[in-house]
Amino acid sequence: MTTLAMVTLAVALVFSILIPFGVFLGGRRTKGRYKAALGTNVFLFFGTLLIAAVVLFGGGAPVMAEAGAAESAGLATGLGYIAAALVTGLSCIGGGIAVASAASAALGAISEDQSVLGKSLIFVGLAEGVALYGLIISFMILGKLG
């Protein structure tokens, strides 16, 4: 990976973190401010993702070799890493959505009847299992690559 590509990617990552905070913190806290901060965050996330894809597939990807072997990483290895990242990320997003729904319902049920605490914790734990399954699958994908 060239130095220019590494610097460009690092700058894009730093800006994708700092600019949404600036948009969020600037001005009054209104509904439009939250939408602007979310829109900026999404735009910069996908912009950084696009820059990373250009660096990765633009021929500037680092060559991965084992102990002096002249073995280079191919397209399948890169796609394997992308698949592992997507599996982990999407399963964590799904698990977060499931925990948000289950936990809010559990809090409502517990506030009405204290005896349902055990059952509600089981449902929240099952929702968290989705993220763990994605993590296990990504470890299996990474195991095949290495």
Side-chain angles (χ1 to χ4, degrees), residues 93-105 123-129:
I93 289 171
I97 292 169
V99 167
S101 299
S104 64
F123 286 116
V124 173
L126 287 172
E128 289 179 8

Side-chain angles (χ1 to χ4, degrees), residues 82-135:
I82 291 173
L86 284 174
V87 166
T88 303
L90 293 176
S91 69
C92 288
I93 289 171
I97 292 169
V99 167
S101 299
S104 64
L107 286 174
I110 292 169
S111 67
E112 291 180 11
D113 184 13
Q114 299 266 331
S115 65
V116 297
L117 175 67
K119 292 178 186 175
S120 62
L121 286 178
I122 290 172
F123 286 116
V124 173
L126 287 172
E128 289 179 8
V130 172
L132 292 176
Y133 294 140
L135 189 64

Side-chain angles (χ1 to χ4, degrees), residues 4 6 16 25-27 51 55 61 66 72 75 82 108 117 122 128 146:
L4 179 64
M6 288 175 32
S16 70
L25 294 176
I51 291 172
V55 169
E66 287 184 2
S72 66
L75 181 63
I82 291 173
L117 175 67
I122 290 172
E128 289 179 8

Side-chain angles (χ1 to χ4, degrees), residues 60-84:
V63 174
M64 299 175 63
E66 287 184 2
E71 189 178 312
S72 66
L75 181 63
T77 304
L79 290 176
Y81 286 123
I82 291 173

